[in-house]
Amino acid sequence: MTPLSLPCLYLLLHIFPALSLDFLFNSFNSSDLLLVDDAKIDSSVIRLTNDSNHNSIGRAFYPTKINMKPTSNSTKISSFSTSFVFSVYTQFSSGFGIAFVMSNTTSPPNALPGQYFGLFTNSRKPSVFPLIAIEFDTSLNPEFNDPDDNHVGIDLYNLESVITETAGYNDSVSGNFTPVNMHSGNNVRAWIDFDGSNLQVNVTIAPIGVNKPSKPLLSYTNPAIADYLFDEMFVGFSASTLDHFVIQRVLAWSFSDTGTARDLNTMNLPNFVPKSMSSLSSGAMVGISIACVAVLVVFLTGVYWFWRRRRVLEGEDEEIEDWELEYWPHRFSYEELSQATSGFSKENLLGTGGFGTVYKGNLAANNNEVAVKCVNHDSKQGLREFMAEISSIGRLQQKNLVPVRGWCRKGKELLLVYDYMPNGSLHNWIFHKPKKELDWKGRCRVLADVAEGLNYLHHGFNEVVLHRDIKSSNILLDKDMRGRLGDFGLAKLYKHGGVPNTTRVVGTLGYLAPELASLAATAASDVYSFGVVILEVVSGRRPIETWSKEEDPFLLIDWVRELNCEGKVSEACDDTVKSECEVGEIEMVLKLGLACCHPEPQHRPSVKEVVAILSDAVVSLPDNVEVELAHGVCSGSNGNNAGPPLHSTVPQSQY
Ligand SMILES: *[C@@H]1O[C@H](CO)[C@@H](O)[C@H](O)[C@H]1NC(C)=O
Ligand SMILES: *[C@@H]1O[C@H](CO)[C@@H](O)[C@H](O)[C@H]1NC(C)=O
Ligand SMILES: *[C@@H]1O[C@H](CO)[C@@H](O)[C@H](O)[C@H]1NC(C)=O
Ligand SMILES: *[C@@H]1O[C@H](CO)[C@@H](O)[C@H](O)[C@H]1NC(C)=O
Ligand SMILES: *[C@@H]1O[C@H](CO)[C@@H](O)[C@H](O)[C@H]1NC(C)=O
Ligand SMILES: *[C@@H]1O[C@H](CO)[C@@H](O)[C@H](O)[C@H]1NC(C)=O
């Protein structure tokens, strides 16, 4: 070392005190990265989640943080450029994708699995720590304004992206937009360029083999990005699952905060597309393979039909309708379910409800605990519609719905297999008072959960999925005491009048909206039933209590409505939780319940509004809901304490 170089080095270190970062991985080993939770290195590739676990979360970070601000007081922000190759494979049409993350911690507190990428807490409550994510999202979550189930977005603190775009790129020759399917298991390459001086993020994607497109898919410029940065941040990847099979992998990664990230060698990367789906290179090969596959399919179909006919002839199996094979949730064999529930034994009986009998079971194949619901039905049409609905819901998954594992049909009996919910129904927690009661916070959380689940049914699809039988006994609590809505769509089975000797309205007395006496079910009638559940949960009283034949039954809605008109609605609160919360909060929730139970459907809030109110835990109702609540509800009693109870418009006599 020459005498001169020391001062030079000293000078250099002072001008650039932060060590610059420049790395390139064309494969990984476990000492290269910080692996958090379920993330693993498997055959030189990062596998973020573990497909044998439910609610799996995995993250992988570069072990040292990057400097986003060269000195901690500096307003100057560093730039960086990164490129990586990822692959997401989902067994069903969609699943959760992968996120590139910049965070000041490797374990963001309260991070949720599933659509939350194992990073975010809740749609309505943004993170409190510096967190920027670029999501490569393969699920459609309308509550976060996702455009489709295959999009790229930029998330600042919040899962609701500031900008999103359907995944794809513009072909350099034709100039046409070419979609990129991110959940087929294909290797997809992404480039993220961050310009610190202009506070601009560009995201570009393309399949392997395509050069970096000249125009980015997303280009987002906003000085406020600076607020979402911390002096030093980890960079890496995060992904999560809920109940279904998804594998998220990162195969190669390069990063530089001094220039352009080095080019990845994409030639020798492994390919995780299942064999039958992988695209073959040359045209001839494609032709030959298609021919081979076609012959094989014809042959196998023949064998299958032959086998099926024999089974049917031998009386071993029910004739399977064609449509029964189309739908996703797994079709179990009757034997398998019988075995799982020890022959539907009494010991395994969990309960008997409106729609059938429920047994606890244990699937031998993977030792999963399940609840098997046996429903008797007469309507093939109803069953078909029901299966269509269930399979689309099953595909999209939502953390506030009880996951459907599969189904089985034997004669007129339909068996539905759900995940077992260890904490039973909300009804039991409210009325049968097990040792540990559900406190106020817990009750509000369950209500917010269920509202989100219902919002998903109402707004998560092209068509509105009606639940039609919302009640506290159809709300189940999972192992974390979070609320999940069960039995969705089941009422549809009965819509076509299949139930012996009735053409009655489906649903449960006490939860039925008044208009159902003459009109078809709507989203608003679901909201009504949910309103009854809110009142039930806060007051700890049943919707209808009958003391004796002579006396009029106690009607919960009327009682709360009356208290509200008298200006003392908070008196309706259950004594066991009264002391735990503020009067204002109780009032707010009860009034929300009443607003949902408004006799006229058009005056009820939408479930979207209900979600916003419940999950924000705001202390007062938004004006429009307050106005609707006042509209007509108290008019009968003139606000007079002494008046007789306002009778609910539920047409009792009809049921
Ligand atoms: C992992 O890779 C690093 C270089 O990236 C190498 O130094 C190290 O020996 C490797 N470790 C193992 C266990 O292969
Ligand atoms: C996945 O998790 C299970 C335990 O739930 C564990 O036994 C298994 O080794 C894990 N697999 C991988 C690839 O990490
Ligand atoms: C950074 O700012 C703080 C106050 O905001 C000041 O006390 C400190 O000296 C500054 N440090 C540098 C290196 O400028
Ligand atoms: C991350 O940032 C938050 C908010 O700025 C801060 O409170 C927290 O201590 C930081 N965590 C780490 C590990 O630096
Ligand atoms: C981002 O994209 C825009 C538009 O193509 C381009 O002008 C800009 O230079 C890009 N910025 C970075 C940091 O690559
Ligand atoms: C693709 O080209 C169209 C039309 O020229 C343009 O509107 C669009 O923004 C381009 N998209 C990308 C990702 O380059």
Side-chain angles (χ1 to χ4, degrees):
M1 201 167 264
T2 66
L4 254 179
S5 65
L6 260 180
C8 269
L9 198 61
Y10 180 81
L11 204 67
L12 269 177
L13 281 177
H14 264 252
I15 296 169
F16 306 107
L19 286 175
S20 64
L21 213 58
D22 187 304
F23 58 80
L24 168 72
F25 296 112
N26 275 311
S27 65
F28 298 91
N29 72 31
S30 46
S31 52
D32 293 334
L33 299 166
L34 281 178
L35 298 169
V36 186
D37 293 339
D38 288 342
K40 282 248 155 52
I41 303 293
D42 183 10
S43 331
S44 307
V45 162
I46 310 173
R47 250 186 94 152
L48 289 166
T49 55
N50 180 339
D51 53 277
S52 50
N53 292 352
H54 285 198
N55 299 340
S56 175
I57 291 181
R59 301 183 203 96
F61 293 98
Y62 190 73
T64 51
K65 293 184 175 183
I66 58 164
N67 272 288
M68 289 313 298
K69 295 175 185 169
T71 62
S72 74
N73 287 9
S74 168
T75 51
K76 183 174 175 292
I77 291 173
S78 315
S79 299
F80 69 83
S81 141
T82 183
S83 174
F84 52 91
V85 176
F86 68 93
S87 141
V88 175
Y89 175 67
T90 62
Q91 193 171 11
F92 307 116
S93 69
S94 68
F96 307 110
I98 202 168
F100 174 81
V101 196
M102 298 172 67
S103 164
N104 77 334
T105 159
T106 56
S107 297
N110 306 322
L112 294 172
Q115 54 268 56
Y116 297 90
F117 291 105
L119 290 175
F120 298 95
T121 48
N122 183 302
S123 55
R124 310 259 156 207
K125 294 186 194 99
S127 317
V128 290
F129 49 90
L131 177 68
I132 294 184
I134 315 291
E135 56 170 56
F136 299 86
D137 193 348
T138 54
S139 74
L140 170 63
N141 295 104
E143 66 267 42
F144 308 126
N145 293 331
D146 286 354
D148 54 30
D149 64 358
N150 189 48
H151 60 272
V152 180
I154 299 177
D155 304 342
L156 304 175
Y157 276 40
N158 194 326
L159 191 48
E160 200 169 313
S161 309
V162 289
I163 179 173
T164 61
E165 216 43 83
T166 295
Y169 66 101
N170 276 358
D171 189 274
S172 63
V173 182
S174 68
N176 293 336
F177 185 78
T178 315
V180 173
N181 180 345
M182 300 192 295
H183 45 75
S184 60
N186 273 320
N187 291 342
V188 177
R189 180 152 179 197
W191 294 263
I192 297 170
D193 298 294
F194 178 73
D195 176 349
S197 49
N198 295 316
L199 290 157
Q200 180 179 53
V201 190
N202 285 359
V203 184
T204 314
I205 65 166
I208 294 297
V210 172
N211 288 334
K212 182 178 180 181
S214 54
K215 235 184 120 236
L217 175 63
L218 294 179
S219 182
Y220 181 72
T221 314
N222 184 349
I225 294 177
D227 303 342
Y228 299 90
L229 294 169
F230 202 59
D231 302 1
E232 292 190 309
M233 293 179 102
F234 285 106
V235 287
F237 303 92
S238 183
S240 58
T241 66
L242 276 183
D243 310 298
H244 296 170
F245 184 84
V246 192
I247 304 181
Q248 297 101 335
R249 296 179 169 99
V250 178
L251 296 83
W253 182 21
S254 69
F255 183 99
S256 169
D257 62 4
T258 50
T260 305
R262 280 180 280 162
D263 205 13
L264 300 167
N265 175 3
T266 56
M267 294 296 285
N268 303 318
L269 293 176
N271 185 321
F272 295 100
V273 181
K275 287 287 177 295
S276 62
M277 288 162 68
S278 80
S279 51
L280 291 150
S281 45
S282 89
M285 274 298 284
V286 172
I288 292 166
S289 333
I290 287 175
C292 289
V293 168
V295 167
L296 196 68
V297 165
V298 168
F299 175 73
L300 287 179
T301 315
V303 168
Y304 173 72
W305 279 103
F306 183 70
W307 170 82
R308 242 194 63 180
R309 268 208 77 72
R310 278 201 48 184
R311 300 241 322 171
V312 171
L313 289 177
E314 285 166 8
E316 279 179 25
D317 206 353
E318 280 288 320
E319 175 97 40
I320 300 173
E321 307 277 329
D322 284 344
W323 57 265
E324 291 185 52
L325 300 168
E326 287 167 24
Y327 296 121
W328 156 67
H330 178 64
R331 191 181 204 273
F332 286 93
S333 73
Y334 189 78
E335 288 66 39
E336 195 176 356
L337 296 183
S338 175
Q339 208 167 35
T341 56
S342 321
F344 300 98
S345 70
K346 250 199 183 135
E347 288 71 47
N348 287 44
L349 187 68
L350 287 173
T352 314
F355 287 122
T357 328
V358 191
Y359 296 89
K360 186 174 171 182
N362 210 320
L363 292 177
N366 44 15
N367 208 26
N368 272 346
E369 287 194 320
V370 292
V372 181
K373 179 155 216 159
C374 309
V375 189
N376 252 312
H377 73 95
D378 267 348
S379 156
K380 228 172 226 177
Q381 172 70 14
L383 180 61
R384 182 184 194 144
E385 279 183 18
F386 171 72
M387 286 309 301
E389 211 160 78
I390 270 248
S391 77
S392 58
I393 295 165
R395 273 186 200 140
L396 285 164
Q397 322 175 47
Q398 212 272 351
K399 66 181 171 43
N400 303 116
L401 300 177
V402 178
V404 185
R405 288 257 150 236
W407 64 291
C408 165
R409 186 169 72 94
K410 192 176 165 85
K412 287 188 171 173
E413 198 165 30
L414 170 70
L415 300 130
L416 290 168
V417 183
Y418 295 96
D419 272 8
Y420 175 67
M421 294 285 124
N423 280 316
S425 78
L426 177 63
H427 184 89
N428 278 351
W429 282 88
I430 305 284
F431 299 110
H432 299 158
K433 315 236 162 174
K435 270 180 221 125
K436 208 179 117 249
E437 278 167 25
L438 199 56
D439 64 9
W440 172 254
K441 274 224 174 77
R443 290 184 192 203
C444 289
R445 195 180 54 224
V446 169
L447 287 176
D449 287 344
V450 173
E452 273 197 45
L454 188 60
N455 187 26
Y456 191 67
L457 292 181
H458 284 184
H459 302 292
F461 303 92
N462 298 336
E463 286 172 66
V464 175
V465 176
L466 300 179
H467 188 289
R468 296 191 182 88
D469 196 17
I470 296 167
K471 55 180 172 180
S472 55
S473 52
N474 272 344
I475 294 168
L476 298 169
L477 301 186
D478 65 15
K479 67 175 193 332
D480 305 318
M481 293 296 285
R482 302 301 299 245
R484 287 179 181 238
L485 199 49
D487 276 2
F488 33 88
L490 211 48
K492 188 160 238 171
L493 276 181
Y494 294 91
K495 205 178 71 174
H496 297 271
V499 170
N501 73 33
T502 62
T503 49
R504 64 178 179 140
V505 179
V506 295
T508 303
L509 191 58
Y511 297 89
L512 287 172
E515 72 272 13
L516 288 179
S518 51
L519 300 171
T522 58
S525 50
D526 270 356
V527 169
Y528 182 96
S529 310
F530 182 64
V532 177
V533 171
I534 296 183
L535 300 182
E536 207 178 346
V537 164
V538 180
S539 68
R541 298 189 70 165
R542 287 163 213 265
I544 300 179
E545 290 171 8
T546 317
W547 311 107
S548 67
K549 271 205 173 115
E550 293 76 42
E551 254 179 283
D552 276 345
F554 163 86
L555 297 177
L556 176 62
I557 297 180
D558 290 352
W559 179 61
V560 181
R561 220 175 251 166
E562 201 188 341
L563 287 171
N564 185 43
C565 292
E566 291 165 10
K568 46 185 189 184
V569 68
S570 64
E571 283 182 20
C573 184
D574 193 347
D575 288 335
T576 55
V577 293
K578 211 172 225 164
S579 56
E580 295 167 16
C581 53
E582 286 180 24
V583 173
E585 213 176 326
I586 300 175
E587 268 183 9
M588 196 271 298
V589 180
L590 281 168
K591 282 183 176 176
L592 177 65
L594 282 181
C596 292
C597 291
H598 197 287
E600 288 163 45
Q602 69 273 20
H603 291 300
R604 292 172 203 149
S606 76
V607 66
K608 257 195 184 127
E609 291 173 280
V610 176
V611 170
I613 296 166
L614 283 174
S615 54
D616 269 347
V618 288
V619 219
S620 63
L621 288 180
D623 285 347
N624 62 331
V625 174
E626 190 88 63
V627 168
E628 295 297 5
L629 176 61
H631 186 103
V633 172
C634 287
S635 51
S637 70
N638 306 323
N640 189 335
N641 306 4
L646 229 186
H647 256 276
S648 154
T649 20
V650 179
Q652 294 296 323
S653 53
Q654 276 186 267
Y655 303 98

